[in-house]
Amino acid sequence: MTPPGPASGHETGPGTGPATRVLQWAQEHGEVGGVHASHRQLTAALRAEGCDVRYVDTGDPGRAVRAAPALWRRRTLHLFHITRLWRAMLLAPVFALVPGRTVLVLHSGSTAGQVRRMGGPAAGALRLALHAYDEVWAVNDEIRSVLPAGLRGRVRVVTPYVPVPRTAPAPARAPHALSVATNAGLAHYHADLAVDAVRLLRAGAWPDATLRVLAYGHDGAELAALRSSVAGEEWVDVTFDASPQEVRDVLASSAVFLRPTAWDGDSVIVREALAEGARVVAGDTSPRPLGVELSALSAADLAAAVSEGGRRSDGSGLAERSMLDAARAALDAVVARA
């Protein structure tokens, strides 16, 4: 398979010089979710500026190998998107060898915990591996703080959300519609708390409240259990792998987006919900963007925050600089080095 070319067909972009290329090392055809949305948003924005953006599909070994001829151009920015640190360690020898500028993008809020759980040998291997990358982009300050001190000069904190212009009018907002997202129904997303919170709202302040559950990832036992728990509840709608446009329309039509997660990096869907004008009520367990209303992880506290308003986040621990701005700066470095 020939590596996919840029949608624009352009080989140049503002400030990038001739024949500068961006290679997105990511699951191009992988499951939907925050990481997928983030790199696709960045790709769309860079292509709109005239950049040649292509993929090394890390979710398919065959596709990744067939992309190998594209790796050896000097005027290339390599962006490696991961949630699991072992992948950065595994591919460090490759990124140490490829020409151009290499960037490791750490998306997951679990990154800090992954580092803290590493023993001495693993921590040493991670420190060595990270030297293979010219830059490391972390999505919050906590991730930056747990990375080896000697590498701090390479670390940039960025927000992974890149706005994409609307191509269709936004739907009308329903005053008591709520939504929540869950990856495969996994426990740390606490979709069950969202269901219980809306049940409390329906019994009290918002008797007409509805809940849309946006599920993605693996459609397995956890999601089956979630569906079973709301079977017969006409006010809950569980959908799986909604398209980006459908997700956007759900957020635009929601009065409140719930994010009762046990941990997060800098959630793309939270940023998307805010951009669509929805209130966001989220667990006070992770850094949250400015204006997000915070709640303890209980159904009663979530319901109270929705109906009465929650304490607002001041945005501490997250970046204002976007991944697009960081990519532009890295592209300038590619040109300067060439």
Side-chain angles (χ1 to χ4, degrees):
M1 171 181 162
T2 302
S8 66
H10 293 177
E11 286 286 327
T12 62
T16 66
T20 303
R21 176 174 293 170
V22 178
L23 284 183
Q24 295 269 40
W25 295 64
Q27 295 189 34
E28 182 183 12
H29 302 285
E31 63 188 37
V32 300
V35 177
H36 187 266
S38 176
H39 67 70
R40 297 304 294 179
Q41 289 168 358
L42 179 61
T43 292
L46 288 172
R47 284 176 174 168
E49 295 184 0
C51 294
D52 178 1
V53 185
R54 308 189 184 202
Y55 274 83
V56 179
D57 192 344
T58 56
D60 186 307
R63 285 188 179 132
V65 168
R66 288 191 287 275
L71 306 184
W72 306 106
R73 291 178 43 162
R74 291 182 61 235
R75 297 175 70 99
T76 300
L77 173 63
H78 300 264
L79 302 178
F80 184 28
H81 300 265
I82 66 167
T83 59
R84 298 296 176 188
L85 283 172
W86 66 264
R87 301 181 73 199
M89 298 162 72
L90 180 67
L91 288 182
V94 175
F95 285 98
L97 291 174
V98 294
R101 191 164 187 84
T102 59
V103 179
L104 177 67
V105 189
L106 301 176
H107 284 268
S108 178
S110 71
T111 301
Q114 292 177 56
V115 173
R116 293 186 181 114
R117 289 190 296 271
M118 287 183 174
L126 175 65
R127 186 180 306 108
L128 181 63
L130 292 181
H131 278 92
Y133 303 93
D134 295 306
E135 297 182 31
V136 178
W137 296 352
V139 297
N140 64 38
D141 284 337
E142 183 185 31
I143 295 172
R144 176 172 57 181
S145 72
V146 300
L147 295 177
L151 292 164
R152 299 282 170 78
R154 304 184 186 207
V155 181
R156 315 280 184 269
V157 179
V158 302
T159 176
Y161 169 63
V162 179
V164 177
R166 264 197 169 273
T167 57
R173 194 176 309 282
H176 293 158
L178 297 95
S179 53
V180 68
T182 179
N183 182 349
L186 296 176
H188 66 272
Y189 284 87
H190 291 303
D192 56 331
L193 286 183
V195 172
D196 290 343
V198 177
R199 188 174 281 117
L200 290 173
L201 286 167
R202 288 179 59 83
W206 291 9
D208 59 343
T210 61
L211 179 65
R212 175 72 173 270
V213 181
L214 298 165
Y216 60 95
H218 174 62
D219 195 354
E222 291 86 353
L223 274 183
L226 177 61
R227 290 190 182 97
S228 177
S229 72
V230 298
E233 302 282 18
E234 79 286 348
W235 48 273
V236 183
D237 184 13
V238 180
T239 55
F240 184 73
D241 271 4
S243 69
Q245 186 58 54
E246 184 178 1
V247 170
R248 189 169 194 176
D249 285 345
V250 168
L251 298 175
S253 63
S254 295
V256 181
F257 176 72
L258 298 174
R259 187 68 174 177
T261 48
W263 45 261
D264 255 327
D266 182 356
S267 170
V268 171
I269 198 168
V270 164
R271 297 275 189 179
E272 290 176 317
L274 291 171
E276 292 296 333
R279 289 174 58 203
V280 176
V281 173
D284 189 10
T285 54
S286 307
R288 301 296 185 185
L290 179 68
V292 168
E293 298 172 54
L294 305 175
S295 169
L297 287 184
S298 76
D301 286 317
L302 285 167
V306 170
S307 61
E308 301 168 17
R311 178 173 60 86
R312 292 182 180 273
S313 170
D314 64 3
S316 296
L318 298 180
E320 295 183 4
R321 187 189 198 198
S322 77
M323 194 162 57
L324 177 59
D325 292 330
R328 290 170 176 149
L331 281 166
D332 288 340
V334 171
V335 173
R337 181 188 290 182

